[in-house]
Amino acid sequence: VLGDMSTEQTELTQTPLLKIWVPWAGGSTNQRRGSSRPQFTNSPTMIVMVGLPARGKTYISKKLTRYLNWIGVPTQVFNLGQYRREAVKSYKNYEFFRPDNEEAMNIRRACALNALKDIANYFAKEQGQVAVFDATNTTRERRGVIISFAKEKGYKVFFIESICDDPEIIEANIMEVKVSSPDYENCDKEEALEDFLKRIECYKTTYVSLDDESDRHLSYIKIFNVGSRYLVNRVQDHIQSRIVYYLMNIHVTPRSIYLSRHGESELNLLGRIGGDSGLSSQGKKYASTLSEFIRDQAIKDLKVWTSHMKRTIQTAEALGVAYEQWKALNEIDAGVCEEMTYEEIQENYPEEFAMRDQDKYRYRYPKGESYEDLVHRLEPVIMELERQENVLVICHQAVMRCLLAYFLDKSADELPYLKCPLHTVLRLTPVAYGCKIEPFYLNIKAVNTHREKPVNVDVTRMPEEALRTVPEHF
Amino acid sequence: MMNGYSYGMEICMTNCPTLIVTVGLPARGKTYISKKLTRYLNWIGVPTKEFNVGQYRRECVKIYKSFEFFRPDNEEGLKIRKQCASAALNDVRQYLTEEGGQVAVFDATNTTRERRETINRFAEQNGFKVFFVESVCEDPDVIAENIVQVKLGSPDYTHCNTEQAVEDFMKRIKCYENSYQPLDEVLDRELSFIKIIDVGRRYLVNQVQDHIQSRIVYYLMNIHITPRSIYLCRHGESELNVRGRIGGDSGLTARGKEFARCLGQFMHKQGISDLKVWTSQMKRTIQTAEALGVPYEQWKALNEIDAGVCEELMYEEIQQRYPLEFALRDQDKYRYRYPKGESYEDLVQRLEPVIMELERQENVLVICHQAVMRCLLAYFLDKTAEELPYLKCPLHSVLKLTPVAYGCKVERISLKVEAVNTHRERPENVNVHRTAEDALQTVPAHL
């Protein structure tokens, strides 16, 4: 039913930071009807992991959480094992997990309830949108408790079950993340492996998988053998659909992702931002050095991606291999500030310049983009990077910061200030629950293009204060 | 020098062509899925074509008598059907190897393992990847509805009344049931497939090989058949519109505001529960939505095409300052990219998440812009890249799109508020050496 049809036409004003058009309040506290981004879901969502130990639940929980936070959905993991470690200061052995160990059962149940309480708090008080409940949740009883809890609170529930019976994968998991767990600090690898396998056995007797018939009303995805097969049931909304798509695109095959900027450009030398200039002579040197570096890395089946901008393409050309151009990898659009120096921006748009320093992530250049917009446009790139194996991405400063923030789980506040200097390749290799990062500076001099956040971000500041952190240029 | 030019959507699509093979009893939505998927893939720039074996059969056996043709013991029938399948596969091969096709959708029941094996061998011989799409449904209501919607109107039943047609078709389905071997988790574990169960309640996805298969799975998991309507319209007439200027971020004229009011009344009369309203992040669409008095969501992806250096210029000024660019645009309006701006092709890529979400949603009103609306309309009405940039999307009229049978019914509602015309037809002379007069022949009138 549509609301008031009054003929009053509200005037609009553009918010200074985000450049979003909103009704001119004119004094009255009228509630904005126009949300500035599409709504993924209308209630908080609990993602509930299901599966025996060493099936990748924590790996999936952390990775999924990282992805959701990066695309702007506030998400947090609640790992039951951690709650248990708080409650039971030191872990003795697998006997704690025996199904007939009543005392332990009580502790574990109490931990679960605490975790649920924290989840409720996360949604109610901390503006969380998604909570990932990372635990085995292998019995129908336990899942029933969670479902009732969620129903009472009005949360949606989506289960992710990981099923794997390949003993090699399980042992590899255990060696990669379990033997180094706090539980096994005082054991050697062999002891830890042996104990953990017994731990798994404790769960097996009571494990009831999500059932096609009895659980047909639940929303869930079952992942078989690390992704060779999926069963998806009753996806309720957009966010669940995106989660399913993401889970179906990730893999665990070892590989490396190389991130680099284009070689130094003509506009870089002049301290000008944006534009579409070619490489300087140093930049060209970098391109050929990069070519040697890549060859020395002897990478199997390397894919090379660039943007549609001249400077990344020139860099790729020097490699002498096939490459693919993505418009989505183009540098952030600085709108009216394109090709200006920071000094000129300060002179022509001092307020804009200050606002950008106040909130560099959300600030949108007039007729341009924000880092937040960039993340949105880079999402398909990240999705395809997840699908791929060895890739070299030749891109730009702001773009590289966004991609790096995804892999290294950096917050929106840190992202715009990540250091991505010219002529440096970052090699990212997934390991355990995260990403190993190795920088390779290829020893070709280049200008510095990194401008730190100045101390004074007030719109009334003096030009000198604004320009204090501008790096040198011609 | 080797260089791969692509939009990021064509990665891994430049390797092997893909053969999508439908599987399922009659009236399970195979043709619906085939056509819809084909439409989507073509829209995102992947040349795709469907090959419906039923059509080949109708060519071969001019007159359909009855379900008896499909009896498993009808040797003559079986022979003809096998020939038709072969003929279709032959055309598939031609399409994928000689006509630049990237994906072929082989739409038939393919209910036996034997038939699927034949197809697999065919694909292997020709270097095609295979992806099966099986639709399994036992809900009698759904099946009955399917029959009513698309079978009764089939050429097979032009000479029957409804009851006769339904009865015959049910017997036809029976002919397939006994020999139906659904794709199996274990026996078919090496195959790549998606099994769609009960119109999307559940999916089984096995061995997705590459990017295009992943995209297809995502698409299939987002579509639904719940009846609904999508309303497309542009913002009300804007200040720059009346001055014949493109792009920019201006507000509504008085007439534009009048349109917004009428739009509010019109939507109210439509009496839709749970209507979602989407706008771009540009002032003119937001002003239009504000007049509706309901919540709306702003999508940056719905912003008008970025005309780069030509932003806020009149066509006369573009001709004066960038005559070469102006001519190039007329030569290939779909692919032409404004300097420091976008092309229609870029727009389509940017709008893909909007289309995906429109598929998930039910009743939606999208208040957008001329080029954007053309792109969205082209998706729903299956228009080619050549037609798309010239689709008529005048100001102050609403298009109501309602999915029906295999396509979309369109109702154009003009809200009777005057507005300038912003539609510039392709001029006759698109040569770079043409006169200014020739270039500006089709520019609509403005202040």
Side-chain angles (χ1 to χ4, degrees):
Chain A
V1 177
L2 297 181
D4 176 23
M5 289 296 111
S6 82
T7 51
E8 173 203 282
Q9 293 293 326
T10 45
E11 279 309 304
L12 298 185
T13 181
Q14 199 174 40
T15 61
L17 187 82
L18 300 178
K19 309 291 188 296
I20 300 283
W21 288 102
V22 295
W24 177 249
S28 72
T29 47
N30 93 53
Q31 195 191 24
R32 261 185 63 201
R33 280 187 297 264
S35 82
S36 62
R37 54 192 54 87
Q39 303 297 293
F40 289 165
T41 182
N42 42 22
S43 8
T45 303
M46 275 187 67
I47 295 179
V48 181
M49 303 303 301
V50 179
L52 293 172
R55 263 58 177 179
K57 296 185 303 298
T58 301
Y59 175 81
I60 290 168
S61 300
K62 286 179 181 263
K63 204 169 161 73
L64 185 57
T65 299
R66 178 162 57 88
Y67 168 69
L68 291 173
N69 278 312
W70 187 74
I71 62 169
V73 180
T75 307
Q76 192 173 312
V77 179
F78 296 82
N79 176 284
L80 199 52
Q82 256 163 260
Y83 281 78
R84 188 258 308 155
R85 274 184 282 273
E86 301 265 307
V88 183
K89 295 300 173 193
S90 76
Y91 172 76
K92 283 203 202 73
N93 62 34
Y94 78 95
E95 306 246 348
F96 182 84
F97 292 98
R98 286 176 55 154
D100 56 0
N101 183 341
E102 276 214 40
E103 191 186 329
M105 281 301 210
N106 287 331
I107 296 174
R108 291 160 73 193
R109 199 170 296 132
C111 286
L113 292 176
N114 278 335
L116 289 180
K117 213 184 298 170
D118 285 353
I119 287 174
N121 190 61
Y122 177 62
F123 286 149
K125 309 264 174 62
E126 295 176 39
Q127 283 94 48
Q129 264 185 259
V130 177
V132 183
F133 188 46
D134 178 18
T136 50
N137 297 316
T138 39
T139 62
R140 183 154 284 132
E141 187 231 339
R142 170 58 58 83
R143 297 196 290 267
V145 167
I146 297 168
I147 292 166
S148 308
F149 165 81
K151 190 162 175 200
E152 190 198 307
K153 300 274 188 184
Y155 306 152
K156 288 185 178 171
V157 182
F158 187 74
F159 292 93
I160 299 176
E161 181 170 14
S162 174
I163 296 173
C164 178
D165 39 33
D166 181 338
E168 278 183 34
I169 296 179
I170 294 165
E171 184 168 323
N173 280 0
I174 297 175
M175 295 313 278
E176 187 147 345
V177 296
K178 299 296 181 185
V179 300
S180 53
S181 137
D183 290 344
Y184 297 110
E185 259 171 355
N186 306 310
C187 301
D188 70 37
K189 289 211 174 104
E190 285 308 310
E191 288 174 331
L193 175 60
E194 200 189 315
D195 184 86
F196 201 85
L197 288 172
K198 292 206 186 101
R199 204 152 117 177
I200 296 177
E201 290 305 311
C202 293
Y203 284 90
K204 275 192 182 165
T205 46
T206 52
Y207 180 21
V208 179
S209 184
L210 288 168
D211 183 72
D212 291 350
E213 252 317 292
S214 16
D215 294 315
R216 67 184 175 283
H217 296 297
L218 300 182
S219 297
Y220 63 83
I221 179 172
K222 273 198 204 185
I223 305 171
F224 295 89
N225 290 325
V226 206
S228 64
R229 193 163 85 243
Y230 305 92
L231 183 66
V232 180
N233 199 65
R234 288 197 188 264
V235 170
Q236 298 172 52
D237 59 17
H238 178 98
I239 191 73
Q240 290 181 17
S241 167
R242 292 283 285 278
I243 288 166
V244 165
Y245 184 43
Y246 182 72
L247 292 175
M248 285 174 38
N249 281 320
I250 61 181
H251 67 76
V252 293
T253 311
R255 49 84 169 251
S256 287
I257 294 168
Y258 296 79
L259 299 182
S260 161
R261 288 169 69 187
H262 52 82
E264 184 193 72
S265 73
E266 300 286 0
L267 285 180
N268 284 147
L269 278 179
L270 300 173
R272 293 183 174 282
I273 67 172
D276 194 13
S277 58
L279 299 181
S280 64
S281 57
Q282 287 296 103
K284 288 175 185 163
K285 280 203 197 105
Y286 173 70
S288 56
T289 313
L290 179 64
S291 173
E292 284 165 22
F293 170 77
I294 292 297
R295 226 170 303 145
D296 291 340
Q297 290 279 303
I299 306 150
K300 176 180 102 129
D301 290 334
L302 178 73
K303 293 264 166 77
V304 178
W305 295 355
T306 70
S307 68
H308 274 205
M309 296 181 138
K310 187 173 179 185
R311 51 201 188 276
T312 57
I313 295 167
Q314 263 185 301
T315 309
E317 280 287 329
L319 303 179
V321 297
Y323 58 91
E324 289 158 20
Q325 299 180 22
W326 290 71
K327 189 169 191 280
L329 285 171
N330 278 6
E331 183 56 314
I332 192 171
D333 183 355
V336 300
C337 298
E338 278 285 316
E339 302 199 38
M340 288 192 177
T341 59
Y342 289 118
E343 291 83 353
E344 286 166 356
I345 300 176
Q346 168 59 29
E347 197 182 293
N348 292 296
Y349 304 100
E351 273 180 36
E352 294 288 331
F353 201 36
M355 278 195 298
R356 185 160 207 255
D357 284 337
Q358 286 172 20
D359 190 345
K360 197 175 176 192
Y361 183 73
R362 278 163 212 86
Y363 170 82
R364 190 184 276 172
Y365 280 106
K367 304 196 178 177
E369 294 176 301
S370 62
Y371 270 94
E372 193 168 29
D373 294 327
L374 247 197
V375 161
H376 185 84
R377 102 157 129 84
L378 286 167
E379 202 264 351
V381 177
I382 286 293
M383 196 64 88
E384 190 54 24
L385 274 173
E386 286 294 346
R387 288 198 55 79
Q388 291 291 338
E389 294 183 19
N390 294 314
V391 187
L392 163 65
V393 183
I394 302 171
C395 54
H396 305 266
Q397 184 167 244
V399 168
M400 189 161 157
R401 284 170 171 155
C402 292
L403 299 178
L404 199 56
Y406 167 75
F407 289 108
L408 302 185
D409 203 17
K410 297 296 184 185
S411 67
D413 294 319
E414 300 170 284
L415 186 161
Y417 295 102
L418 293 175
K419 287 221 167 69
C420 295
L422 288 164
H423 299 187
T424 307
V425 184
L426 296 182
R427 179 168 78 186
L428 299 162
T429 315
V431 72
Y433 293 137
C435 241
K436 179 173 80 173
I437 172 171
E438 295 161 82
F440 295 93
Y441 172 58
L442 297 195
N443 219 0
I444 305 287
K445 281 188 80 64
V447 292
N448 172 26
T449 58
H450 187 94
R451 178 175 168 269
E452 284 292 1
K453 187 184 197 196
V455 172
N456 193 345
V457 298
D458 201 271
V459 297
T460 57
R461 65 191 176 175
M462 304 296 293
E464 306 90 72
E465 293 176 290
L467 298 170
R468 192 151 292 159
T469 55
V470 172
E472 287 184 10
H473 59 85
F474 286 109
Chain B
M1 181 78 271
M2 270 216 66
N3 139 24
Y5 175 55
S6 78
Y7 309 92
M9 285 177 298
E10 287 165 37
I11 351 127
C12 298
M13 298 184 194
T14 47
N15 305 353
C16 332
T18 302
L19 178 58
I20 296 176
V21 181
T22 63
V23 179
L25 293 173
R28 263 56 176 183
K30 298 184 300 298
T31 301
Y32 175 81
I33 289 169
S34 299
K35 287 182 182 272
K36 207 170 158 76
L37 187 56
T38 299
R39 179 161 57 88
Y40 168 70
L41 291 172
N42 278 313
W43 187 75
I44 62 170
V46 181
T48 306
K49 191 170 176 193
E50 26 135 13
F51 298 82
N52 177 286
V53 175
Q55 253 164 262
Y56 284 76
R57 188 257 307 156
R58 274 184 281 273
E59 302 266 310
C60 196
V61 182
K62 296 297 175 195
I63 302 171
Y64 174 77
K65 285 205 201 71
S66 78
F67 77 95
E68 308 252 353
F69 179 82
F70 291 96
R71 285 179 55 158
D73 55 3
N74 180 344
E75 285 222 29
E76 173 81 24
L78 281 171
K79 194 165 129 209
I80 293 174
R81 288 156 71 193
K82 202 177 274 179
Q83 277 169 1
C84 290
S86 298
L89 284 180
N90 218 23
D91 287 352
V92 163
R93 178 193 5 246
Q94 184 158 329
Y95 177 66
L96 295 179
T97 54
E98 293 163 37
E99 294 173 26
Q102 195 60 47
V103 176
V105 183
F106 188 61
D107 177 18
T109 49
N110 298 314
T111 39
T112 62
R113 191 152 279 127
E114 186 216 344
R115 170 60 59 85
R116 298 195 290 265
E117 241 314 290
T118 308
I119 297 170
N120 263 327
R121 271 196 306 270
F122 161 83
E124 209 172 318
Q125 276 160 17
N126 288 287
F128 305 152
K129 287 185 180 172
V130 182
F131 187 73
F132 292 94
V133 176
E134 180 174 25
S135 173
V136 175
C137 179
E138 291 314 316
D139 184 337
D141 292 333
V142 173
I143 295 164
E145 180 62 23
N146 281 359
I147 295 176
V148 167
Q149 275 228 11
V150 296
K151 299 297 180 185
L152 299 185
S154 146
D156 290 345
Y157 296 112
T158 39
H159 55 280
C160 297
N161 69 31
T162 305
E163 262 168 41
Q164 292 171 325
V166 172
E167 194 186 321
D168 183 271
F169 201 83
M170 296 302 274
K171 292 203 184 112
R172 202 152 117 179
I173 297 177
K174 273 258 166 304
C175 294
Y176 285 88
E177 272 177 6
N178 287 339
S179 56
Y180 182 20
Q181 296 166 300
L183 287 168
D184 183 75
E185 277 179 32
V186 179
L187 296 173
D188 297 307
R189 65 184 171 281
E190 296 304 317
L191 299 181
S192 298
F193 66 84
I194 178 171
K195 196 192 270 261
I196 304 170
I197 299 152
D198 290 336
V199 205
R201 191 157 310 156
R202 189 147 93 232
Y203 304 92
L204 184 66
V205 180
N206 197 67
Q207 305 277 16
V208 170
Q209 298 173 53
D210 60 16
H211 176 96
I212 188 69
Q213 290 181 17
S214 166
R215 292 286 285 277
I216 289 166
V217 165
Y218 184 44
Y219 182 72
L220 292 175
M221 286 177 43
N222 281 320
I223 61 180
H224 68 77
I225 56 168
T226 310
R228 51 84 170 251
S229 290
I230 294 168
Y231 298 79
L232 299 181
C233 74
R234 289 167 68 187
H235 51 82
E237 184 190 67
S238 75
E239 301 285 359
L240 287 179
N241 283 148
V242 290
R243 286 152 59 202
R245 293 181 175 281
I246 66 172
D249 195 11
S250 58
L252 302 180
T253 60
R255 297 197 299 201
K257 290 176 184 171
E258 177 59 27
F259 166 73
R261 275 193 291 273
C262 292
L263 180 65
Q265 285 169 1
F266 170 75
M267 293 311 301
H268 184 73
K269 278 209 210 82
Q270 291 283 299
I272 303 149
S273 60
D274 289 333
L275 175 74
K276 294 264 165 75
V277 179
W278 296 354
T279 69
S280 67
Q281 286 187 348
M282 297 181 136
K283 187 174 182 180
R284 52 200 187 278
T285 57
I286 294 166
Q287 261 186 305
T288 309
E290 277 290 326
L292 302 181
V294 295
Y296 56 92
E297 291 167 19
Q298 298 181 23
W299 290 69
K300 187 168 193 279
L302 284 170
N303 280 5
E304 182 57 314
I305 192 171
D306 183 355
V309 301
C310 297
E311 277 285 317
E312 303 197 41
L313 297 185
M314 297 186 293
Y315 290 117
E316 292 83 348
E317 288 167 345
I318 301 178
Q319 168 57 28
Q320 192 180 75
R321 300 185 207 185
Y322 308 101
L324 176 62
E325 294 290 330
F326 202 36
L328 287 174
R329 184 160 209 252
D330 284 336
Q331 287 175 17
D332 190 347
K333 196 174 176 190
Y334 184 72
R335 277 162 212 87
Y336 171 82
R337 189 185 280 168
Y338 281 106
K340 303 197 180 180
E342 295 177 300
S343 62
Y344 271 93
E345 197 167 29
D346 294 329
L347 247 196
V348 161
Q349 186 175 11
R350 140 152 101 76
L351 286 168
E352 200 264 351
V354 177
I355 286 294
M356 197 62 87
E357 190 57 19
L358 274 173
E359 285 295 345
R360 289 197 55 79
Q361 291 290 340
E362 291 182 20
N363 294 308
V364 187
L365 163 64
V366 184
I367 303 171
C368 54
H369 306 265
Q370 184 167 248
V372 168
M373 188 163 158
R374 285 170 171 156
C375 292
L376 299 178
L377 197 56
Y379 166 75
F380 288 108
L381 302 186
D382 203 17
K383 298 295 184 185
T384 63
E386 279 60 50
E387 298 169 295
L388 186 162
Y390 295 101
L391 292 175
K392 287 222 167 66
C393 295
L395 286 165
H396 298 188
S397 80
V398 182
L399 290 182
K400 178 175 174 181
L401 302 163
T402 314
V404 71
Y406 293 138
C408 242
K409 178 175 85 168
V410 195
E411 289 165 69
R412 185 183 287 274
I413 303 121
S414 160
L415 289 195
K416 306 252 189 300
V417 178
E418 289 276 318
V420 293
N421 172 26
T422 59
H423 186 93
R424 180 174 165 269
E425 283 293 358
R426 185 176 201 251
E428 254 186 69
N429 192 346
V430 299
N431 195 282
V432 302
H433 302 298
R434 64 190 176 176
T435 61
E437 209 190 315
D438 277 353
L440 298 171
Q441 198 120 25
T442 54
V443 172
H446 59 86
L447 293 177

